[in-house]
Amino acid sequence: MSREEVDVAVIGGGPAGLAAAVKAREAGLDNVIVIERSEYLGGLLDQCIHNGFGLFYFGEDLTGPEYGRRFIEKASDLGVKSLLNSMVVRLSPDRKLLISSHTGLTSLSAKSVVLAMGCRERTRGSLCLSGTRAAGILTAGTAQRYVNIYGYIPGREVVILGSGDVGMIMARRLTLEGATVKAVVEVLPYVGGLIRNEVQCLYDFNIPLLLEHTVTEIHGSERVEAVTVARVDKKWNPIAGTERVITCDTLLLSVGLIPENELSRSIGVELDPVSGGPVVDSAMETSLSGIFAGGNVLHVNDLVDNVSREAELAGASAAAFAKEEIKQRKPRVRLIAGENVRYAVPQVVSIGDDVTLSVRVREPAENVRLKVGNIINQSLRVVKPSQIVPVIVTAEDWSKINGVVYEMLISCESRR
């Protein structure tokens, strides 16, 4: 088994991992390595052939492959090393990694580590849907890969359960390929993805959107033949008498994403039960010294631009740790989710640091005040669960604190 020492090891070669590696390399470290389980860098960006990427980061409207290519080329130009077709099978709190590949096992010892494993889709198993295990049931991301990478259309009459971004994008994509999308079925009273996708992918193509509905049964033995949908009450229970059958040969699932934190959990990283990712501080450092996290492994972002920016901070902090430049820690405050706030990242912030909080609300609301303790009080016209609310906290804001503070409530209150 080969052994190697590196400055920064980045686990995951998607948009987060690449951004973190580039930033660490730009900090002057010579030995930065990206470990990617796939055969190429870029993560899932290659299958995201639609535009809408890079509007904030690059100020341009790019496709997924174009966005990924920019980071891949930058990493290559900077001399970032990569291990492809390689899986981290073990990570220890002292930053030792065991990697499996077709060449055998490799042991790495890293001065710092960035977790950038991304997220995965929820599958049928987490939904307890009644019916047989017929062909034609797949996640929206799998369908996207079939269509955009392999040129295979998974079905001709499609129902999509869930209104996540990939689900809505695939509703449009399949329609353009000649399939009929019978309905997008969403259990909530609002869509789960971005409003721009609701408009551009559903409304512009006259695709029916059934809010406050769910699929209660799948029909068919060899292949999906139909699904039963029903309206739900406020507790998401199907309402008797509202059922109807929609014939289809394919059911796509777009019912949420889960941060990939099996490695994090295995070494005792503290995880946030709400976001599903590690608890981090202002530097994106986890509860374990020298191990940082960024991107969708930390929390599921709304835009890949935010994934890159978040991971850049993790990469820069990992580089500073590797160079032993981390300064003495300032007093820290833990953020507590209050009224209509689902979570905020980072969860722990250092008093005095400039920091951008990523806040996700629980319910849509208009005319609200977003408050962070007594230091932030800003008015917002509208907030939605599908869109991250960025909250910038500056040194001037921190100066409003009087006395010793260990916790700070963050809330989104109605102004009415």
Side-chain angles (χ1 to χ4, degrees):
M1 180 172 64
S2 62
R3 289 176 170 80
E4 186 178 349
E5 293 186 0
V6 299
D7 293 320
V8 179
V10 180
I11 306 175
L18 288 170
V22 164
K23 211 65 179 177
R25 187 71 181 85
E26 287 178 338
L29 294 178
D30 294 326
N31 205 346
V32 177
I33 191 166
V34 174
I35 305 136
E36 169 56 45
R37 63 187 177 186
S38 180
E39 65 271 21
Y40 52 80
L41 296 172
L44 300 179
L45 288 171
D46 269 3
Q47 70 186 50
C48 302
I49 64 174
H50 53 279
N51 61 350
F53 297 85
L55 290 168
F56 297 97
Y57 191 94
F58 291 111
E60 298 179 52
D61 192 6
L62 306 174
T63 65
E66 289 172 331
Y67 187 93
R69 179 55 51 187
R70 295 201 178 186
F71 280 96
I72 292 170
E73 290 176 351
K74 193 167 188 178
S76 177
D77 291 343
L78 288 170
V80 172
K81 301 173 186 176
S82 61
L83 287 178
L84 302 179
N85 292 304
S86 300
M87 173 74 75
V88 177
V89 295
R90 189 166 68 227
L91 173 65
S92 63
D94 59 353
R95 304 179 295 282
K96 289 182 172 56
L97 301 87
L98 183 64
I99 302 164
S100 175
S101 70
H102 67 280
T103 61
L105 294 176
T106 301
S107 177
L108 283 185
S109 179
K111 294 178 182 177
S112 62
V113 172
V114 177
L115 305 175
M117 294 89 73
C119 58
R120 66 178 184 271
E121 295 179 282
R122 294 185 186 276
T123 62
R124 179 184 178 179
S126 63
L127 301 178
C128 300
L129 279 177
S130 176
T132 61
R133 296 180 62 86
I137 307 169
L138 60 163
T139 63
T142 300
Q144 185 182 59
R145 187 166 187 82
Y146 282 167
V147 176
N148 295 342
I149 300 296
Y150 303 121
Y152 172 73
I153 308 301
R156 290 297 172 183
E157 292 188 321
V158 183
V159 170
I160 299 176
L161 175 58
S163 60
D165 287 310
V166 179
M168 291 192 289
I169 287 166
M170 284 310 297
R172 176 181 62 185
R173 185 76 178 95
L174 289 168
T175 299
L176 290 171
E177 290 296 335
T180 299
V181 178
K182 296 290 194 72
V184 172
V185 182
E186 172 57 58
V187 73
L188 296 170
Y190 48 83
V191 297
L194 297 173
I195 299 302
R196 75 181 188 200
N197 288 329
E198 180 183 3
V199 173
Q200 296 172 3
C201 300
L202 302 186
Y203 293 163
D204 288 356
F205 288 84
N206 297 313
I207 296 171
L209 172 63
L210 304 180
L211 296 175
E212 296 181 280
H213 282 73
T214 191
V215 171
T216 59
E217 188 171 1
I218 301 170
H219 306 278
S221 53
E222 297 298 321
R223 174 85 192 194
V224 173
E225 298 173 0
V227 296
T228 296
V229 301
R231 181 175 287 277
V232 298
D233 59 22
K234 291 184 179 180
K235 295 183 178 180
W236 301 354
N237 297 314
I239 300 173
T242 65
E243 300 90 349
R244 61 173 163 136
V245 175
I246 302 177
T247 59
C248 61
D249 60 18
T250 304
L251 175 65
L252 298 190
L253 306 178
S254 181
V255 290
L257 302 168
I258 305 169
E260 289 269 20
N261 276 296
E262 283 68 28
L263 271 179
S264 313
R265 190 176 292 108
S266 72
I267 59 172
V269 166
E270 181 186 357
L271 298 180
D272 186 324
V274 180
S275 69
V279 172
V280 294
D281 63 13
S282 306
M284 296 298 165
E285 188 174 24
T286 70
S287 58
L288 297 183
S289 178
I291 297 180
F292 301 80
N296 287 340
V297 76
L298 185 56
H299 67 118
V300 178
N301 280 268
D302 50 354
L303 299 172
V304 74
D305 305 56
N306 293 336
V307 166
S308 299
R309 285 178 172 167
E310 195 173 79
E312 282 183 335
L313 176 55
S317 300
F321 186 93
K323 294 194 292 183
E324 300 181 349
E325 293 177 351
I326 296 291
K327 299 177 182 178
Q328 186 176 4
R329 293 192 183 279
K330 301 175 183 178
R332 307 208 295 176
V333 173
R334 189 155 189 134
L335 297 178
I336 306 299
E339 181 179 342
N340 200 24
V341 171
R342 188 160 177 260
Y343 66 78
V345 173
Q347 295 89 342
V348 180
V349 290
S350 297
I351 295 177
D353 282 356
D354 290 343
V355 61
T356 298
L357 307 177
S358 294
V359 179
R360 193 178 290 277
V361 299
R362 293 183 181 276
E363 302 288 341
E366 297 181 356
N367 299 316
V368 299
R369 286 195 180 278
L370 198 147
K371 297 181 179 179
V372 182
N374 68 335
I375 65 173
I376 297 287
N377 186 340
Q378 65 184 57
S379 299
L380 298 172
R381 188 180 66 82
V382 62
V383 292
K384 298 178 181 295
S386 59
Q387 295 177 296
I388 295 291
V389 180
V391 180
I392 299 173
V393 184
T394 66
E396 182 179 351
D397 295 318
W398 289 117
S399 67
K400 301 173 185 176
I401 290 181
N402 293 317
V404 178
V405 178
Y406 297 103
E407 292 183 347
M408 193 172 289
L409 190 70
I410 179 165
S411 61
C412 189
E413 304 170 1
S414 173
R415 287 190 287 169
R416 294 177 180 175

